[in-house]
Amino acid sequence: MNTDHCIALRDVSVGYHGRQILADINFSLKTGEFTVMFGPNGCGKTTLFKTILGIIPPIQGTITYGNAHYPGFGYVPQRQILDEIYPFTAEEVVLMGTFGQVKPFCPTTKTNRAWVEQCLKDVGMFELKKHLFSELSGGQKQRILIARALATKPGILLLDEPITGVDIMAQRMIMELISLLYKKHALTIVMVTHEIHSIPKWIDKLIWINNNKVLIGDSLEILAPLIAEEASFQGTLWH
Amino acid sequence: MEQLLEILSPHFLLKNSLYAGLIVGFVCPQVGIFFVLRRMVLLGIALPQVSNAGITFAFLLHTLGIHFLPHMESEKFMALTGSVFFTLVAIFILAILERRRKGFTENRIGFTYSIAGAVSILFVSWNPYGQTEVLSLLKGEIVSIPDIYLWLMLAIYGTIFLCLIGFHRSFIVVSYDADMATTIGKKVILWDVLLYLIIGVVISFGVMTVGPLVIFGFLLIPAITARMITRGILPFCIVSSIIGVVASFLGFYLSYRFDLPTGPADIVLLSAILLVSFLGKMVFSWKR
């Protein structure tokens, strides 16, 4: 595994409109690592995640990216935030991933179309490419959003709650797909989740966020006693 | 049939009105797509009203003797300036408040609609001279359009159409998923401002030509209809404009044939197309 740091946070505080949610965050992510950020709903995971992505500016501190410029992020949002009024086909949603590479007034190139088809194949959704995105199941939509993130040719894949709101079978398929892509594309992956059972055992880094605290460990086992202690202290139930 | 051939003749007296209607029918649905997809339909009601307030204000100023050109033509250009100015100011204030999440969107738009409607009536009541012109706008009577105005309209709407086609990907991705757009390097605020600018210009110029009712109809009804009967964003865009052009042409023909005001005829036709599409879709779904 490559040990270069691709993202490093130093004394970072995050929040919205000047209101601080998390403070003094210090950690770095190495190229090729699989990192999971987890914690209960509303703890600030998505805010931290969006700050890393550059969507929200940090309130304090600095975020540095590996080779000094913004890396190629493949962003998989929570599918519930996407409005279903848009009449996109699955293929059109994935094609959106190539929009950063195409100049205005230029048509979509054959290379990009072929790449989109490859991404659809990688997530097992090629056959459904002409279906309306809004008519797909939760698990299928999630796979299309992963394909869209792959279409950006990312160095780092960031997934925000990828298994929330889908059934157990779909959850398992999505996690298998993420594992497969991690190995096949040698990607750096950061996944946000509040579901502890979805965290694979072989992850490289675990960032636990709760009650304005950020704990970092190499695996769930290392953090488990701390999490249990904190959860029982707060009366939080972890399933 | 005779009237149809007359309309299609290059020497047709009202040909500029027909061309203006076709331009509106073609371009407005492309802007309306974003009203429907970004769920800004209410804004589509309020902005033409604001534009109308700008026009009545300009007429009032003209009657009071404040104008930049010495002859009668200044009236039309002043009205256009008033329309553009009022619309752009309103759209940017509403957009800023929306971004800062101050209050509720519906309340802001409802307030804008009411105040714009009220001041329009007040400006007209202080200016009986402009009353006829404004009433004709409100009724959507597209009758006399000078050549220069038609060419100006073609230039402006043509530029807007080219912008919408050329920057289509950016407008779409910024509207659909602003966070994702940021991660692929799109400047979301910049694209939003450009889109609002386009909306402001299309509405203010369109209201000057065909009136607020017709503009509202052409912005929304073709896009709503196309959304119902198409799959995929490209067919959605193409079908929206086809519906707009067909309704504009048939509306003009019917108004000429039966001596009806053009604007309302266009809107009734658009609504008929919407209704037929809805029923057709229901029958199709039922058969499946």
Side-chain angles (χ1 to χ4, degrees):
Chain A
M1 183 188 294
N2 193 333
T3 55
D4 294 340
H5 286 177
C6 58
I7 302 170
L9 284 81
R10 186 176 294 170
D11 302 323
V12 169
S13 298
V14 299
Y16 284 99
H17 308 301
R19 194 174 68 87
Q20 188 175 283
I21 296 173
L22 297 168
D24 301 323
I25 307 164
N26 288 284
F27 66 81
S28 56
L29 305 178
K30 289 175 186 169
T31 306
E33 269 188 348
F34 192 115
T35 305
V36 171
M37 274 186 210
F38 96 107
N41 284 326
C43 69
K45 301 184 297 291
T46 299
T47 310
L48 174 58
F49 187 73
K50 286 188 175 180
T51 308
I52 292 173
L53 276 165
I55 296 167
I56 304 169
I59 292 174
Q60 268 184 350
T62 51
I63 301 176
T64 48
Y65 300 104
N67 41 7
H69 61 80
Y70 189 79
F73 283 127
Y75 172 51
V76 182
Q78 294 182 26
R79 67 186 159 75
Q80 295 89 339
I81 65 159
L82 299 174
D83 196 337
E84 296 199 342
I85 197 171
Y86 288 77
F88 291 130
T89 61
E91 187 182 30
E92 284 171 338
V93 172
V94 180
L95 199 59
M96 234 178 261
T98 65
F99 285 3
Q101 304 145 30
V102 188
K103 287 186 177 145
F105 293 95
C106 296
T108 306
T109 59
K110 280 185 182 171
T111 320
N112 276 347
R113 287 221 175 267
W115 175 237
V116 164
E117 292 196 349
Q118 184 56 51
C119 294
L120 281 160
K121 282 176 187 161
D122 282 354
V123 300
M125 290 295 291
F126 184 72
E127 274 69 37
L128 298 179
K129 68 176 184 173
K130 294 293 175 197
H131 284 233
L132 278 183
F133 181 70
S134 57
E135 290 174 358
L136 299 176
S137 71
Q140 288 170 334
K141 279 181 188 161
Q142 206 60 58
R143 284 197 276 165
I144 288 296
L145 291 176
I146 292 171
R148 184 181 73 163
L150 290 177
T152 63
K153 299 182 180 169
I156 307 166
L157 186 65
L158 296 107
L159 305 108
D160 194 359
E161 304 276 12
I163 57 160
T164 299
V166 296
D167 60 60
I168 296 287
M169 278 301 288
Q171 285 187 6
R172 193 177 299 165
M173 283 173 75
I174 290 165
M175 284 315 296
E176 280 171 8
L177 173 66
I178 293 168
S179 311
L180 193 75
L181 294 172
Y182 173 59
K183 285 161 193 160
K184 184 180 169 186
H185 294 269
L187 289 166
T188 306
I189 293 187
V190 181
M191 184 178 93
V192 167
T193 184
H194 68 273
E195 303 191 47
I196 202 164
H197 70 266
S198 67
I199 301 172
K201 286 186 175 150
W202 43 264
I203 59 168
D204 299 301
K205 188 169 279 167
L206 186 71
I207 299 170
W208 182 54
I209 305 166
N210 190 26
N211 199 25
N212 301 327
K213 284 182 191 166
V214 179
L215 295 175
I216 296 151
D218 292 337
S219 68
L220 194 58
E221 281 71 27
I222 291 172
L223 285 181
L226 282 167
I227 293 166
E229 188 185 315
E230 186 73 18
S232 66
F233 177 71
Q234 288 179 46
T236 312
L237 267 177
W238 289 88
H239 298 287
Chain B
M1 192 63 191
E2 197 180 311
Q3 276 95 350
L4 189 65
L5 290 174
E6 198 180 332
I7 286 173
L8 293 173
S9 154
H11 308 295
F12 179 51
L13 191 64
L14 301 175
K15 63 179 188 301
N16 282 3
S17 311
L18 172 66
Y19 297 155
L22 290 176
I23 294 168
V24 166
F26 185 71
V27 179
C28 279
Q30 293 303 315
V31 178
I33 282 165
F34 291 97
F35 272 95
V36 173
L37 296 181
R38 293 173 77 130
R39 298 184 187 265
M40 304 191 320
V41 170
L42 287 175
L43 200 63
I45 304 174
L47 286 178
Q49 197 66 39
V50 171
S51 164
N52 202 43
I55 294 168
T56 54
F57 182 67
F59 281 142
L60 178 64
L61 288 183
H62 195 268
T63 309
L64 294 173
I66 306 163
H67 43 87
F68 15 48
L69 291 170
H71 51 82
M72 286 299 286
E73 271 304 300
S74 71
E75 191 183 60
K76 200 124 198 163
F77 285 98
M78 271 185 77
L80 180 61
T81 311
S83 173
V84 172
F85 181 75
F86 271 53
T87 310
L88 290 183
V89 168
I91 200 168
F92 282 111
I93 290 174
L94 288 170
I96 289 166
L97 292 175
E98 183 74 36
R99 269 196 100 77
R100 292 186 178 173
R101 301 188 190 285
K102 298 271 186 202
F104 296 101
T105 310
E106 296 86 346
N107 296 355
R108 283 193 294 269
I109 293 174
F111 169 76
T112 308
Y113 179 78
S114 312
I115 192 74
V119 296
S120 298
I121 293 166
L122 286 176
F123 290 150
V124 170
S125 71
W126 291 331
N127 171 33
Y129 171 71
Q131 205 159 359
T132 324
E133 190 90 12
V134 172
L135 276 176
S136 147
L137 267 183
L138 288 173
K139 281 163 70 182
E141 284 175 351
I142 319 160
V143 182
S144 68
I145 293 176
D147 281 350
I148 185 170
Y149 197 78
L150 183 71
W151 283 111
L152 185 64
M153 186 177 180
L154 189 64
I156 291 174
Y157 273 43
T159 308
I160 281 169
F161 181 70
L162 283 178
C163 281
L164 288 171
I165 298 296
F167 304 130
H168 177 77
R169 293 186 191 94
S170 300
F171 287 135
I172 284 289
V173 73
V174 161
S175 303
Y176 182 59
D177 188 350
D179 288 348
M180 187 267 182
T182 306
T183 66
I184 59 169
K186 300 285 177 195
K187 305 280 181 213
V188 175
I189 292 180
L190 186 87
W191 290 110
D192 274 348
V193 166
L194 185 59
L195 187 61
Y196 288 140
L197 200 66
I198 285 174
I199 289 170
V201 172
V202 162
I203 288 179
S204 43
F205 210 81
V207 168
M208 270 293 297
T209 319
V210 294
L213 170 75
V214 182
I215 277 297
F216 177 59
F218 275 102
L219 279 173
L220 300 177
I221 305 175
I224 294 169
T225 311
R227 164 77 183 77
M228 208 168 13
I229 56 175
T230 56
R231 300 170 74 85
I233 196 78
L234 188 63
F236 174 48
C237 297
I238 294 170
V239 171
S240 295
S241 273
I242 290 174
I243 292 171
V245 168
V246 167
S248 176
F249 183 78
L250 288 180
F252 189 89
Y253 168 70
L254 290 176
S255 72
Y256 187 68
R257 172 83 176 75
F258 299 106
D259 196 20
L260 301 166
T262 315
D266 288 348
I267 301 303
V268 169
L269 257 175
L270 282 172
S271 306
I273 296 171
L274 173 68
L275 193 67
V276 169
S277 306
F278 176 70
L279 294 174
K281 195 184 177 184
M282 268 179 64
V283 170
F284 185 69
S285 313
W286 180 68
K287 277 190 174 173
R288 278 171 73 187

mmCIF file of all heavy atoms in Angstrom, chain B residues 115-146:
data_model
loop_
_atom_site.group_PDB
_atom_site.id
_atom_site.type_symbol
_atom_site.label_atom_id
_atom_site.label_comp_id
_atom_site.label_asym_id
_atom_site.label_seq_id
_atom_site.Cartn_x
_atom_site.Cartn_y
_atom_site.Cartn_z
ATOM 1 N N ILE B 115 -47.578 42.820 -4.303
ATOM 2 C CA ILE B 115 -47.095 44.199 -4.367
ATOM 3 C C ILE B 115 -46.877 44.626 -5.822
ATOM 4 O O ILE B 115 -47.206 45.757 -6.205
ATOM 5 C CB ILE B 115 -45.829 44.413 -3.489
ATOM 6 C CG1 ILE B 115 -45.488 45.892 -3.320
ATOM 7 C CG2 ILE B 115 -44.611 43.702 -3.995
ATOM 8 C CD1 ILE B 115 -46.400 46.614 -2.392
ATOM 9 N N ALA B 116 -46.373 43.701 -6.638
ATOM 10 C CA ALA B 116 -46.142 44.042 -8.056
ATOM 11 C C ALA B 116 -47.476 44.315 -8.754
ATOM 12 O O ALA B 116 -47.591 45.283 -9.526
ATOM 13 C CB ALA B 116 -45.396 42.905 -8.756
ATOM 14 N N GLY B 117 -48.479 43.487 -8.458
ATOM 15 C CA GLY B 117 -49.811 43.688 -9.055
ATOM 16 C C GLY B 117 -50.395 45.021 -8.617
ATOM 17 O O GLY B 117 -50.933 45.779 -9.432
ATOM 18 N N ALA B 118 -50.256 45.310 -7.323
ATOM 19 C CA ALA B 118 -50.841 46.544 -6.778
ATOM 20 C C ALA B 118 -50.181 47.786 -7.373
ATOM 21 O O ALA B 118 -50.878 48.717 -7.819
ATOM 22 C CB ALA B 118 -50.690 46.544 -5.261
ATOM 23 N N VAL B 119 -48.827 47.799 -7.407
ATOM 24 C CA VAL B 119 -48.167 49.009 -7.927
ATOM 25 C C VAL B 119 -48.407 49.169 -9.431
ATOM 26 O O VAL B 119 -48.497 50.296 -9.928
ATOM 27 C CB VAL B 119 -46.646 49.089 -7.588
ATOM 28 C CG1 VAL B 119 -46.418 49.179 -6.099
ATOM 29 C CG2 VAL B 119 -45.858 47.965 -8.203
ATOM 30 N N SER B 120 -48.565 48.046 -10.135
ATOM 31 C CA SER B 120 -48.864 48.144 -11.580
ATOM 32 C C SER B 120 -50.162 48.925 -11.768
ATOM 33 O O SER B 120 -50.242 49.838 -12.596
ATOM 34 C CB SER B 120 -49.042 46.761 -12.206
ATOM 35 O OG SER B 120 -47.880 46.025 -12.107
ATOM 36 N N ILE B 121 -51.176 48.568 -10.977
ATOM 37 C CA ILE B 121 -52.487 49.225 -11.109
ATOM 38 C C ILE B 121 -52.376 50.710 -10.711
ATOM 39 O O ILE B 121 -52.921 51.590 -11.379
ATOM 40 C CB ILE B 121 -53.542 48.496 -10.258
ATOM 41 C CG1 ILE B 121 -53.781 47.092 -10.853
ATOM 42 C CG2 ILE B 121 -54.865 49.266 -10.205
ATOM 43 C CD1 ILE B 121 -54.525 46.141 -9.952
ATOM 44 N N LEU B 122 -51.613 50.953 -9.634
ATOM 45 C CA LEU B 122 -51.450 52.346 -9.203
ATOM 46 C C LEU B 122 -50.742 53.184 -10.262
ATOM 47 O O LEU B 122 -51.162 54.295 -10.583
ATOM 48 C CB LEU B 122 -50.670 52.404 -7.883
ATOM 49 C CG LEU B 122 -51.444 51.967 -6.636
ATOM 50 C CD1 LEU B 122 -50.538 51.972 -5.409
ATOM 51 C CD2 LEU B 122 -52.641 52.877 -6.393
ATOM 52 N N PHE B 123 -49.660 52.634 -10.831
ATOM 53 C CA PHE B 123 -48.920 53.377 -11.870
ATOM 54 C C PHE B 123 -49.833 53.681 -13.054
ATOM 55 O O PHE B 123 -49.785 54.772 -13.619
ATOM 56 C CB PHE B 123 -47.699 52.580 -12.347
ATOM 57 C CG PHE B 123 -46.590 52.468 -11.330
ATOM 58 C CD1 PHE B 123 -45.747 51.357 -11.313
ATOM 59 C CD2 PHE B 123 -46.367 53.456 -10.382
ATOM 60 C CE1 PHE B 123 -44.725 51.237 -10.387
ATOM 61 C CE2 PHE B 123 -45.352 53.348 -9.442
ATOM 62 C CZ PHE B 123 -44.528 52.230 -9.443
ATOM 63 N N VAL B 124 -50.674 52.722 -13.418
ATOM 64 C CA VAL B 124 -51.572 52.931 -14.556
ATOM 65 C C VAL B 124 -52.640 53.967 -14.204
ATOM 66 O O VAL B 124 -52.991 54.821 -15.023
ATOM 67 C CB VAL B 124 -52.215 51.588 -14.981
ATOM 68 C CG1 VAL B 124 -53.330 51.825 -15.984
ATOM 69 C CG2 VAL B 124 -51.179 50.681 -15.605
ATOM 70 N N SER B 125 -53.142 53.877 -12.969
ATOM 71 C CA SER B 125 -54.209 54.816 -12.588
ATOM 72 C C SER B 125 -53.702 56.261 -12.552
ATOM 73 O O SER B 125 -54.462 57.199 -12.746
ATOM 74 C CB SER B 125 -54.814 54.433 -11.244
ATOM 75 O OG SER B 125 -53.894 54.696 -10.224
ATOM 76 N N TRP B 126 -52.382 56.438 -12.312
ATOM 77 C CA TRP B 126 -51.817 57.789 -12.342
ATOM 78 C C TRP B 126 -51.477 58.228 -13.768
ATOM 79 O O TRP B 126 -51.031 59.324 -13.988
ATOM 80 C CB TRP B 126 -50.515 57.849 -11.507
ATOM 81 C CG TRP B 126 -50.765 57.697 -10.030
ATOM 82 C CD1 TRP B 126 -51.883 58.062 -9.352
ATOM 83 C CD2 TRP B 126 -49.867 57.146 -9.057
ATOM 84 N NE1 TRP B 126 -51.752 57.761 -8.025
ATOM 85 C CE2 TRP B 126 -50.514 57.205 -7.800
ATOM 86 C CE3 TRP B 126 -48.586 56.607 -9.105
ATOM 87 C CZ2 TRP B 126 -49.937 56.732 -6.629
ATOM 88 C CZ3 TRP B 126 -47.999 56.147 -7.942
ATOM 89 C CH2 TRP B 126 -48.674 56.213 -6.708
ATOM 90 N N ASN B 127 -51.642 57.293 -14.698
ATOM 91 C CA ASN B 127 -51.172 57.556 -16.046
ATOM 92 C C ASN B 127 -52.176 57.009 -17.056
ATOM 93 O O ASN B 127 -51.970 55.961 -17.648
ATOM 94 C CB ASN B 127 -49.805 56.868 -16.225
ATOM 95 C CG ASN B 127 -49.324 56.898 -17.651
ATOM 96 O OD1 ASN B 127 -49.595 57.846 -18.374
ATOM 97 N ND2 ASN B 127 -48.643 55.854 -18.054
ATOM 98 N N PRO B 128 -53.277 57.714 -17.272
ATOM 99 C CA PRO B 128 -54.315 57.196 -18.168
ATOM 100 C C PRO B 128 -53.801 56.966 -19.596
ATOM 101 O O PRO B 128 -54.305 56.121 -20.317
ATOM 102 C CB PRO B 128 -55.381 58.288 -18.151
ATOM 103 C CG PRO B 128 -55.055 59.156 -16.994
ATOM 104 C CD PRO B 128 -53.595 59.018 -16.724
ATOM 105 N N TYR B 129 -52.742 57.704 -19.961
ATOM 106 C CA TYR B 129 -52.206 57.603 -21.323
ATOM 107 C C TYR B 129 -51.691 56.176 -21.614
ATOM 108 O O TYR B 129 -51.893 55.635 -22.686
ATOM 109 C CB TYR B 129 -51.083 58.637 -21.482
ATOM 110 C CG TYR B 129 -50.296 58.498 -22.754
ATOM 111 C CD1 TYR B 129 -50.878 58.835 -23.982
ATOM 112 C CD2 TYR B 129 -48.986 58.034 -22.719
ATOM 113 C CE1 TYR B 129 -50.140 58.704 -25.139
ATOM 114 C CE2 TYR B 129 -48.256 57.907 -23.881
ATOM 115 C CZ TYR B 129 -48.832 58.243 -25.088
ATOM 116 O OH TYR B 129 -48.111 58.115 -26.226
ATOM 117 N N GLY B 130 -51.042 55.593 -20.594
ATOM 118 C CA GLY B 130 -50.458 54.257 -20.802
ATOM 119 C C GLY B 130 -51.442 53.119 -20.593
ATOM 120 O O GLY B 130 -51.129 51.958 -20.813
ATOM 121 N N GLN B 131 -52.658 53.482 -20.175
ATOM 122 C CA GLN B 131 -53.636 52.460 -19.800
ATOM 123 C C GLN B 131 -53.957 51.494 -20.956
ATOM 124 O O GLN B 131 -53.994 50.285 -20.772
ATOM 125 C CB GLN B 131 -54.914 53.146 -19.339
ATOM 126 C CG GLN B 131 -55.714 52.279 -18.400
ATOM 127 C CD GLN B 131 -56.683 53.112 -17.567
ATOM 128 O OE1 GLN B 131 -56.726 54.331 -17.688
ATOM 129 N NE2 GLN B 131 -57.442 52.461 -16.740
ATOM 130 N N THR B 132 -54.154 52.054 -22.129
ATOM 131 C CA THR B 132 -54.514 51.231 -23.283
ATOM 132 C C THR B 132 -53.410 50.222 -23.587
ATOM 133 O O THR B 132 -53.677 49.034 -23.794
ATOM 134 C CB THR B 132 -54.703 52.136 -24.532
ATOM 135 O OG1 THR B 132 -55.291 53.344 -24.103
ATOM 136 C CG2 THR B 132 -55.518 51.465 -25.576
ATOM 137 N N GLU B 133 -52.179 50.740 -23.586
ATOM 138 C CA GLU B 133 -51.028 49.878 -23.896
ATOM 139 C C GLU B 133 -50.904 48.737 -22.880
ATOM 140 O O GLU B 133 -50.717 47.579 -23.237
ATOM 141 C CB GLU B 133 -49.751 50.726 -23.860
ATOM 142 C CG GLU B 133 -48.515 50.041 -24.398
ATOM 143 C CD GLU B 133 -48.321 50.272 -25.881
ATOM 144 O OE1 GLU B 133 -48.996 51.138 -26.444
ATOM 145 O OE2 GLU B 133 -47.511 49.562 -26.463
ATOM 146 N N VAL B 134 -51.058 49.074 -21.604
ATOM 147 C CA VAL B 134 -50.895 48.077 -20.549
ATOM 148 C C VAL B 134 -52.033 47.057 -20.604
ATOM 149 O O VAL B 134 -51.810 45.843 -20.466
ATOM 150 C CB VAL B 134 -50.827 48.753 -19.158
ATOM 151 C CG1 VAL B 134 -50.857 47.714 -18.051
ATOM 152 C CG2 VAL B 134 -49.564 49.573 -19.057
ATOM 153 N N LEU B 135 -53.245 47.532 -20.838
ATOM 154 C CA LEU B 135 -54.382 46.609 -20.929
ATOM 155 C C LEU B 135 -54.179 45.636 -22.082
ATOM 156 O O LEU B 135 -54.473 44.439 -21.968
ATOM 157 C CB LEU B 135 -55.684 47.374 -21.123
ATOM 158 C CG LEU B 135 -56.324 47.881 -19.825
ATOM 159 C CD1 LEU B 135 -57.561 48.706 -20.123
ATOM 160 C CD2 LEU B 135 -56.695 46.700 -18.919
ATOM 161 N N SER B 136 -53.663 46.163 -23.185
ATOM 162 C CA SER B 136 -53.399 45.309 -24.346
ATOM 163 C C SER B 136 -52.334 44.259 -24.008
ATOM 164 O O SER B 136 -52.430 43.106 -24.417
ATOM 165 C CB SER B 136 -52.988 46.197 -25.513
ATOM 166 O OG SER B 136 -52.073 45.568 -26.318
ATOM 167 N N LEU B 137 -51.325 44.660 -23.214
ATOM 168 C CA LEU B 137 -50.297 43.705 -22.777
ATOM 169 C C LEU B 137 -50.911 42.611 -21.900
ATOM 170 O O LEU B 137 -50.640 41.427 -22.066
ATOM 171 C CB LEU B 137 -49.225 44.428 -21.960
ATOM 172 C CG LEU B 137 -47.995 44.943 -22.673
ATOM 173 C CD1 LEU B 137 -47.033 45.564 -21.678
ATOM 174 C CD2 LEU B 137 -47.295 43.820 -23.431
ATOM 175 N N LEU B 138 -51.752 43.065 -20.939
ATOM 176 C CA LEU B 138 -52.351 42.109 -20.005
ATOM 177 C C LEU B 138 -53.231 41.093 -20.739
ATOM 178 O O LEU B 138 -53.298 39.931 -20.375
ATOM 179 C CB LEU B 138 -53.182 42.843 -18.943
ATOM 180 C CG LEU B 138 -52.386 43.627 -17.904
ATOM 181 C CD1 LEU B 138 -53.310 44.428 -17.018
ATOM 182 C CD2 LEU B 138 -51.545 42.687 -17.048
ATOM 183 N N LYS B 139 -53.899 41.571 -21.798
ATOM 184 C CA LYS B 139 -54.774 40.673 -22.569
ATOM 185 C C LYS B 139 -53.974 39.779 -23.514
ATOM 186 O O LYS B 139 -54.490 38.824 -24.077
ATOM 187 C CB LYS B 139 -55.786 41.503 -23.373
ATOM 188 C CG LYS B 139 -56.957 41.981 -22.506
ATOM 189 C CD LYS B 139 -57.721 43.111 -23.159
ATOM 190 C CE LYS B 139 -58.517 42.679 -24.363
ATOM 191 N NZ LYS B 139 -59.210 43.835 -24.984
ATOM 192 N N GLY B 140 -52.695 40.107 -23.694
ATOM 193 C CA GLY B 140 -51.862 39.284 -24.573
ATOM 194 C C GLY B 140 -52.167 39.502 -26.039
ATOM 195 O O GLY B 140 -52.171 38.576 -26.836
ATOM 196 N N GLU B 141 -52.438 40.731 -26.434
ATOM 197 C CA GLU B 141 -52.722 41.016 -27.840
ATOM 198 C C GLU B 141 -51.422 41.351 -28.559
ATOM 199 O O GLU B 141 -50.875 42.446 -28.418
ATOM 200 C CB GLU B 141 -53.709 42.179 -27.947
ATOM 201 C CG GLU B 141 -55.124 41.760 -27.614
ATOM 202 C CD GLU B 141 -56.100 42.915 -27.588
ATOM 203 O OE1 GLU B 141 -55.662 44.075 -27.660
ATOM 204 O OE2 GLU B 141 -57.299 42.656 -27.477
ATOM 205 N N ILE B 142 -50.919 40.356 -29.302
ATOM 206 C CA ILE B 142 -49.655 40.571 -30.011
ATOM 207 C C ILE B 142 -50.020 41.095 -31.399
ATOM 208 O O ILE B 142 -50.293 40.327 -32.300
ATOM 209 C CB ILE B 142 -48.877 39.248 -30.157
ATOM 210 C CG1 ILE B 142 -48.960 38.431 -28.866
ATOM 211 C CG2 ILE B 142 -47.450 39.481 -30.548
ATOM 212 C CD1 ILE B 142 -48.653 36.957 -29.070
ATOM 213 N N VAL B 143 -50.071 42.405 -31.552
ATOM 214 C CA VAL B 143 -50.528 42.918 -32.853
ATOM 215 C C VAL B 143 -49.394 43.613 -33.603
ATOM 216 O O VAL B 143 -48.889 43.099 -34.600
ATOM 217 C CB VAL B 143 -51.748 43.860 -32.694
ATOM 218 C CG1 VAL B 143 -52.231 44.326 -34.050
ATOM 219 C CG2 VAL B 143 -52.881 43.127 -31.970
ATOM 220 N N SER B 144 -48.978 44.766 -33.105
ATOM 221 C CA SER B 144 -48.004 45.523 -33.895
ATOM 222 C C SER B 144 -46.611 45.394 -33.295
ATOM 223 O O SER B 144 -46.361 45.843 -32.180
ATOM 224 C CB SER B 144 -48.415 47.000 -33.952
ATOM 225 O OG SER B 144 -48.292 47.569 -32.686
ATOM 226 N N ILE B 145 -45.738 44.713 -34.015
ATOM 227 C CA ILE B 145 -44.346 44.595 -33.571
ATOM 228 C C ILE B 145 -43.462 45.158 -34.686
ATOM 229 O O ILE B 145 -43.427 44.604 -35.790
ATOM 230 C CB ILE B 145 -43.999 43.124 -33.253
ATOM 231 C CG1 ILE B 145 -44.808 42.689 -32.021
ATOM 232 C CG2 ILE B 145 -42.509 42.943 -33.007
ATOM 233 C CD1 ILE B 145 -44.651 41.269 -31.635
ATOM 234 N N PRO B 146 -42.755 46.282 -34.418
ATOM 235 C CA PRO B 146 -41.902 46.856 -35.474
ATOM 236 C C PRO B 146 -40.733 45.933 -35.806
ATOM 237 O O PRO B 146 -40.329 45.101 -34.979
ATOM 238 C CB PRO B 146 -41.397 48.165 -34.855
ATOM 239 C CG PRO B 146 -41.901 48.229 -33.473
ATOM 240 C CD PRO B 146 -42.741 47.051 -33.187
#
